């Protein structure tokens, strides 16, 4: 999967065009483009193809639009266990190749501001998000978002991101756990999430957690 390559000639770019990403996400926006560009930069730096069976692992530090792009470009998903979400609220993405043991962290630069690319957005965005924009204003907003996305996709990744190789502990591959039955709701769930309450097995949603405020 990994090996010697040039950054301009990796399989990922050829396999996953942005049109596939926007189709999956539902619309075009700068946030989606950030994830797309980050995934391209990370996989190019590692010289890897799109994941098939957990050869690639991605750690995302936000749950924003860009994560959808990361899933489509890298092939890493929560269902396969190789998309790991950490709720840090950062536009930061770490890509890990199991075969080589290499990892790359891609972080949006602190001075990169989408609205600096189009000053009209700061006026249109509140109207569109609040539902008070006119039809023409909404159309104008979407057109500007598309233009910004296109402009961003033509930018060198180094202008948008800080890209560096990092040392990380490679997560284990996903495990399959036995299922057990909750004594309260009767539903089956993974035994790794079981709780004991009054001597009976219960699921997390049925468990009455005891706390003293600590």
């Amino acid at each position: 999967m990994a090996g010697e390559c040039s950054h301009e000639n990796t399989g990922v770019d050829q396999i996953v065009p942005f049109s596939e990403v926007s189709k999956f996400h539902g619309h075009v926006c700068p946030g989606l483009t950030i994830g797309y560009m980050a995934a391209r930069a990370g996989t190019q730096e590692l010289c890897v193809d799109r994941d098939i069976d957990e050869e690639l692992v991605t750690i995302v530090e936000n749950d924003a639009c860009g994560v959808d792009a990361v899933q489509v470009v890298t092939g890493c998903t929560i269902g396969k266990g190789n998309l790991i979400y950490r709720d840090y609220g950062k536009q930061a993405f770490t890509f890990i190749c199991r075969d080589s043991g290499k990892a790359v962290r891609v972080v949006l630069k602190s001075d990169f501001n989408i609205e600096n690319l189009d000053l009209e957005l700061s006026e249109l965005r509140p109207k569109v998000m609040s539902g008070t924009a006119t039809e023409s204003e909404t159309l104008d907003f979407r057109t500007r978002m598309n233009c910004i996305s296109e402009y961003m996709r033509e930018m060198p990744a180094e202008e948008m991101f800080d890209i560096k190789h990092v040392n990380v502990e490679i997560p284990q591959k996903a495990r399959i756990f036995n299922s057990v039955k909750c004594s309260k709701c009767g539903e089956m769930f993974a035994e790794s999430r079981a709780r004991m309450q009054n001597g009976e097995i219960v699921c997390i949603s049925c468990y009455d957690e005891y706390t003293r405020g600590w």
Side-chain angles (χ1 to χ4, degrees), residues 1-13 38-51 55-59 74 76 93-106 163-168 170:
M1 178 183 176
E4 295 297 327
C5 71
S6 67
H7 290 178
E8 294 78 17
N9 187 29
T10 59
V12 172
D13 286 358
R40 283 182 51 178
T43 51
Q44 284 179 353
E45 192 67 28
L46 290 176
C47 296
V48 295
D49 296 317
R50 192 174 190 273
D51 179 74
E55 302 93 349
L56 183 64
V57 180
T58 300
I59 300 172
T74 66
C76 295
F93 313 85
T94 301
F95 305 92
I96 307 167
C97 176
R98 292 189 189 277
D99 293 343
S100 67
K102 295 180 179 179
V104 172
R105 190 163 187 259
V106 181
I163 304 170
K164 61 181 179 181
H165 285 256
V166 293
N167 294 318
V168 296
I170 300 178

Side-chain angles (χ1 to χ4, degrees), residues 27-46:
H27 64 260
V28 174
C29 64
L32 185 70
T33 312
I34 288 172
Y36 180 71
M37 295 295 289
R40 283 182 51 178
T43 51
Q44 284 179 353
E45 192 67 28
L46 290 176

Side-chain angles (χ1 to χ4, degrees), residues 56-70:
L56 183 64
V57 180
T58 300
I59 300 172
V60 299
E61 299 181 28
N62 67 79
D63 60 353
C65 298
V67 177
D68 279 356
V70 169

Side-chain angles (χ1 to χ4, degrees), residues 10 52 69-70 75-76 108 132 136 142 152 154 157 200 206 208 210:
T10 59
I52 297 176
V70 169
C76 295
L108 190 69
T132 60
S136 61
R142 294 302 176 194
M152 290 168 62
E154 295 175 353
E200 296 183 320
C206 289
D208 295 325
Y210 170 72

Side-chain angles (χ1 to χ4, degrees), residues 37 40 112 117 148 150-160:
M37 295 295 289
R40 283 182 51 178
F112 184 83
L117 301 178
I148 289 176
E150 185 175 350
Y151 178 78
M152 290 168 62
R153 298 197 305 273
E154 295 175 353
M155 293 176 65
E158 293 76 13
E159 290 187 16
M160 294 177 58

Side-chain angles (χ1 to χ4, degrees), residues 78-148:
I78 289 178
K80 283 196 295 188
N82 59 344
L83 179 69
I84 299 172
Y85 167 56
R86 293 179 178 167
D87 190 13
Y88 297 161
K90 296 182 179 182
Q91 288 285 8
F93 313 85
T94 301
F95 305 92
I96 307 167
C97 176
R98 292 189 189 277
D99 293 343
S100 67
K102 295 180 179 179
V104 172
R105 190 163 187 259
V106 181
V107 184
L108 190 69
K109 288 180 178 291
S110 60
D111 58 357
F112 184 83
N113 189 328
I114 293 170
E115 293 193 350
N116 286 343
L117 301 178
D118 187 340
L119 299 179
E120 296 291 332
L121 277 181
S122 59
E123 296 181 6
L124 287 171
R125 187 188 300 276
K127 293 182 180 180
V128 173
M129 296 306 170
S130 65
T132 60
T134 65
E135 185 175 341
S136 61
E137 287 174 331
T138 300
L139 179 60
D140 186 26
F141 178 76
R142 294 302 176 194
T143 300
R144 291 176 182 276
M145 295 282 267
N146 286 338
C147 290
I148 289 176

